[in-house]
Structure formats: structure tokens, C-alpha cells
Amino acid sequence: MHTPETSGVLLTECEDFSPALIFGCGQSFRFEQMEPGLYRGVALGRELTLAETPQGVRLHCTPQEYEAVWRAYFDMDLDYAAVRRAVAVTPFMGEAVDFGRGLRILRQDFWEAACSFLISQCNNIARIKGIVARLCERHGEAVSEKAHAFPSAGQVACLSETELRALGTGYRAPYLLAAARAVAEGRLSAAALNALPYAEAKRALMQTPGIGAKVADCILLYGLHRTDAFPVDVWMRRALAEHFPAGFDPAEFGPHAGIAQQYIFHYERHLYGKAV
DNA sequence: AGCCAGGACAAGT
DNA sequence: ACTTGTCATGGC
């Protein structure tokens, strides 16, 4: 008989695994802190609880589920200590990666990322979370007593614009409907985009109404794990103007520029009191 | 009580 | 190629 204290999968190397940072850095919107050190959410149609312990972070799942699902989801096969060293190309970047040590880029579901970041445009993170929560509660399948999966593209494609507006999506409702149909009908797919180089994949995404340069980069980075994608939003624009006044090229950060972006984004929000 | 938010888009210079 | 107005909504 497994007790809650000993069951699950214990991650002991947690220098670069902080649930607070992973779920709080603005890349995903479905995990919450239940109490200090305890996090819960739904991803890939499964509910997961994570608990911080003195020995490390414990994932409440079987070793089989960890190997089959969560190992990839949490990008466990990338050495984030090496990434931090590689992108710390200025003193400011050194501060950013020190502050963000523990952050990782999740390998999220393509449709969930596309849908979430369509909602994100001209919106704040607290509000994005609320809209996504209502979308899942009302239109996603139950995965436990109180948790719901993210609705599939097919499920969202069956909703009316009125139902989507009722979630608080505002003018983004028709964008969501068009994207859901494109994905459900196979006109937009992770497999096809994965076969394209960055610039072409981005251009293909931008054919869908509501997906501009920034949302396309978010979908590439968070939904397809293209770590060369470098989303620039209002926070990044501020940070770059302030700390790279002479201009910059994302390529300076190397092949994982998108991860550098995440450290910058989170650090900049912290400096303005918007992130812990 | 306004201000602003992980923008996109069309229309105007 | 750049600037500007518009598009809804509600957390802070």
C-alpha cells in the first residue's frame, strides 16, 4: 500500500524545476497553487498534483505515467543549467537567469497553446486564466470530480460565437472559432508546421485570422517547442528598450533564444511588481 | 474610477 | 515601411 508521502515520482534534481516559476511565468494558464508548496492542474487531458518536499518535487503519478507523459511535458531532457549559462550574455541576462532559475518551457498541446494565446492578445494574465478556466469548466470533458480537460478544437468548433463571448472573450470570439475550425479540419496542424522551418511555420500560422506575429511566436514556442521563436509583447518591448538600448538580435542568445525570452519576460514583470 | 493588458487588423500617411 | 484608431472585457 502506497502512502501519499511515498507514492508518486520524486524529482531530486530541482535546481531547474520550480513549480511556482514553471506555472507562474506566463506560459500556461491551467495550474494553480492550492496551498504553499502544493500545485494542481490539468494538461494533456490529465490532472496532475505536484508537491514540494525537502527531498525534492513529488509528482503524484505512477512512474509509468511520468515516463509516458510528464517527462516530455516538463522538458526533462533539456539541460536548463546549460541554457542559463548560454543565454547569460550580459550582466542583465545574468540577473534574469538567476532570478528565473527553476523555470522550464513546457511542451504544451498545440491546440491548447494556440487557443490560449489567441485569448491572450491585449489581455492580462489574471483575466486570461479566468477565461480559460470558464472555457474548460463549461466545454471540456471532466477528468476528475472538479477538474476538466481543455476542450478539443473539434469541441470549440461546435460552439457558437455567443457561447464564446459568454466566456468573456470579447472581440476574440470569431478568432477562436476560425482557429478551432482550421485545426479541426486539419488545415492547421502541428505535424505540418513541424515539417517547416521557423519563418515558414510562422507565416503559415499567420494565415489564420487573429494570429499575428506575436501570437504565432507564442504558439511556436509553447505549442510546438520551437525554442528559436522569440515572442515580443509589451513587457518584452519595455525590457528590451531598457536593457538593450543599442538593439539586439535574438540569435545572440543562440538556438534557445525563446527560453532566454522567458527569463527576460518573467524578470521584467518582477521588476514592475507583477510577478513574484 | 480609470488604466492597462503576453495584439491584430485595416486605414491612413 | 511606420503610425493610428478600433475592436471587448474586467482585474488591479
Side-chain angles (χ1 to χ4, degrees):
Chain A
M1 191 64 182
H2 292 290
T3 66
E5 292 74 34
T6 59
S7 64
V9 172
L10 181 66
L11 305 177
T12 54
E13 310 286 326
C14 293
E15 172 111 306
D16 283 279
F17 194 106
S18 161
L21 286 167
I22 293 169
F23 301 129
C25 72
Q27 65 175 318
S28 70
F29 308 98
R30 294 225 60 204
F31 278 78
E32 277 189 83
Q33 186 179 60
M34 303 287 102
E35 56 187 75
L38 191 68
Y39 300 82
R40 183 171 298 152
V42 179
L44 307 176
R46 299 159 182 265
E47 187 171 35
L48 180 67
T49 301
L50 303 89
E52 289 176 327
T53 77
Q55 293 76 37
V57 177
R58 187 178 298 283
L59 308 193
H60 291 196
C61 67
T62 66
Q64 292 78 13
E65 186 181 5
Y66 172 74
E67 289 300 330
V69 178
W70 302 119
R71 181 188 182 99
Y73 183 72
F74 287 102
D75 198 24
M76 297 306 286
D77 292 311
L78 179 60
D79 181 355
Y80 277 76
V83 173
R84 283 188 285 111
R85 287 192 293 273
V87 304
V89 295
T90 67
F92 168 74
M93 287 304 299
E95 293 174 28
V97 300
D98 284 346
F99 181 74
R101 175 162 44 81
L103 173 164
R104 313 180 74 81
I105 300 295
L106 298 168
R107 292 177 179 266
Q108 299 182 62
D109 171 72
F110 166 69
W111 161 246
E112 177 169 339
C115 192
S116 298
F117 283 93
L118 270 170
I119 293 169
S120 80
Q121 64 177 260
C122 203
N123 222 335
N124 59 65
I125 290 179
R127 218 176 145 255
I128 298 165
K129 282 186 181 172
I131 293 171
V132 170
R134 288 190 288 280
L135 173 66
C136 296
E137 272 177 42
R138 298 182 197 177
H139 305 293
E141 287 172 16
V143 296
S144 74
E145 291 150 24
K146 10 188 346 186
H148 293 257
F150 199 95
S152 69
Q155 290 173 305
V156 175
C158 291
L159 300 177
S160 66
E161 192 178 314
T162 306
E163 288 175 298
L164 286 170
R165 280 183 182 267
L167 303 171
T169 56
Y171 66 89
R172 308 165 191 82
Y175 295 161
L176 293 169
L177 209 46
R181 287 174 178 158
V183 173
E185 294 167 10
R187 288 179 283 118
L188 195 61
S189 77
L193 292 167
N194 275 331
L196 300 175
Y198 166 74
E200 289 181 38
K202 182 171 179 176
R203 197 180 330 138
L205 278 165
M206 290 173 66
Q207 298 308 304
T208 302
I211 300 181
K214 190 269 176 181
V215 171
D217 276 328
C218 286
I219 297 171
L220 288 167
L221 178 58
Y222 306 120
L224 297 171
H225 206 75
R226 299 286 282 260
T227 57
D228 51 341
F230 195 89
V232 177
D233 72 326
V234 295
W235 292 100
M236 283 300 293
R237 219 170 292 284
R238 266 202 286 272
L240 296 174
E242 192 175 340
H243 304 290
F244 296 85
F248 81 105
D249 179 357
E252 289 175 33
F253 298 118
H256 298 307
I259 304 180
Q261 174 272 153
Q262 199 64 42
Y263 288 113
I264 298 170
F265 175 79
H266 189 253
Y267 188 46
E268 184 72 9
R269 279 172 52 81
H270 161 70
L271 294 177
Y272 280 81
K274 289 292 198 175
V276 183

